[in-house]
Amino acid sequence: MRTGANARWPLLVAFAALLVNLGTLGNGFALDDVALVRDNPAVATLEGVPRLFVQPYGASSGENSGLYRPLTLASFAVNRAVAGAGPRGYHAVNIVLNAAVAALVWFVLRRAGTHYGTALLGGALFAVHPLHAEAVANVAGRAELLAALFVLGAWLAHGSGRRVAAALLFLAAVLSKEGVVLAPVLFWADDRLRGERRPWSSYAGLAGAIAVLLVLRVIALGPHQGAGSAIPLDNPAAAAGVIPRLFTATWVQLKYALLAVWPHPLSCDYSFDVIPVVRSVVDPRLLGGLAFLAAVVFAVMRRNRPVALAAALWLVFFLPASNLLFPTGTIMAERLAYLPSLGVCLLAGHIGASFASRKTIVVAASIVAAASLATLTWQRNSVWKDNLTLATTDVGTYPSSAKLQAGAGIFLAAAGRDAEGEDHMRRALEIYPDYAQIHYNLAVLLVKRGARDEATLHLERASALAPDNPRPRKLLEQLRKN
């Protein structure tokens, strides 16, 4: 195919990514968007941008998240200065960033594959995949988008021998999200698979970028280099101990892979008790997860470059957030699959390209697959319209989630639907009886409808579970005075 024609394909892939996500322009703020973007004084003005490089990611909430993502926060400040405080400007930037990532995906896959069809099919699947909805439709997902944009740019720059550009882009990537810190391992693997034995000095700039990151993290986070102790509600596997964490994390890797292949159902939450902790060595979930990871490791060691790179992409970009190396703040989240899913897209593109002799069948199947995924993405993006829509939709998918039940209860009550809200809050407490916030929120609803005695019991429980929170204690004192 002519070079001029080839140049159109990355633009086509980017256009597909742009088109399928246009519906998010009408969305509001949801979940972490509220604290990180809408109500975060640190990103309210450009004057505060320098301070973002010497403070933790969630400093405004007063929590020790162990995260350091100053470039992501800086992008929010610039976004607000240029487009205003409303959600539309933030969503517009996310859409454009995702389209730019999709274009780079085409170039990366073209380099990784042996046929232009690998890049075209793999890039198209990446552009429209519904598993990416959380990263794009949720403004806070920008950390994934920026990290992907910069790390793919660094990969391409490294491949073309531009060491300084590669180092600077990689530094920007890890300052957007630390989860891409293992990317140099991927670059090295790519070099070896291509038969390029570069001197170690070729990787010095990448090592320097990691050193800069570590120094800045120490300045910003001080001794708190990791997240606080695992919260059973958010990551029950980590809270259960090392062995259950490893067992469950192995199973979760297979769950991610299954969603990458068949993205249904999707959810904004997988916390307690959506994924029951795996505790037994004979649990079929553990055996399935081990078989999957064994297949990935085996694929890495193959001489088939696209297959080996696909497996390496999965491992390198998933390991830091997988709970396999160390406990993290969440048991599973779809946004974490944004970059790792590139491995699946590369593999799909490679398989499709291997049937190039049956071009008509491959093209027809590819169009059907891309159209189906695009439709699911458009539908999923609409669910991220606001917290009420998101919680009430996803709680139907996973009614065993205490956080989804709680969210549905809180947002229904805020919308004036108190009876429905109360019902969901009670379900949340049935699933997770130690849910201090929901004991308080339920008590507020009970006071409102005159059930003061039951409200008192929930306030006493909330005070016992969260003694540092003054709200339950104050409301309890008011009830006793009256």
Side-chain angles (χ1 to χ4, degrees), residues 367-398:
I367 291 174
V368 170
S372 299
L373 292 176
T375 300
L376 290 175
T377 297
W378 187 274
Q379 294 172 345
R380 183 61 189 168
N381 283 341
S382 67
V383 174
W384 282 88
K385 177 182 178 182
D386 52 44
N387 280 328
L388 178 59
T389 304
L390 187 60
T392 53
T393 299
D394 287 359
V395 77
T397 300
Y398 289 118

Side-chain angles (χ1 to χ4, degrees), residues 435-445 458-459 462 471-472 475:
Y435 210 146
Q437 178 187 352
I438 302 308
H439 278 290
Y440 172 76
N441 287 100
L442 178 57
V444 171
L445 287 183
H458 285 287
L459 289 171
R471 293 188 301 169
L475 182 55

Side-chain angles (χ1 to χ4, degrees), residues 30 40 61 95 127 154 196 212-213 220 268 305 316 332 416 471 481:
N40 189 353
S61 65
I95 293 171
E196 299 176 1
V212 171
L213 169 68
C268 66
R305 185 158 53 91
V316 164
M332 181 177 179
R471 293 188 301 169
K481 288 179 181 179

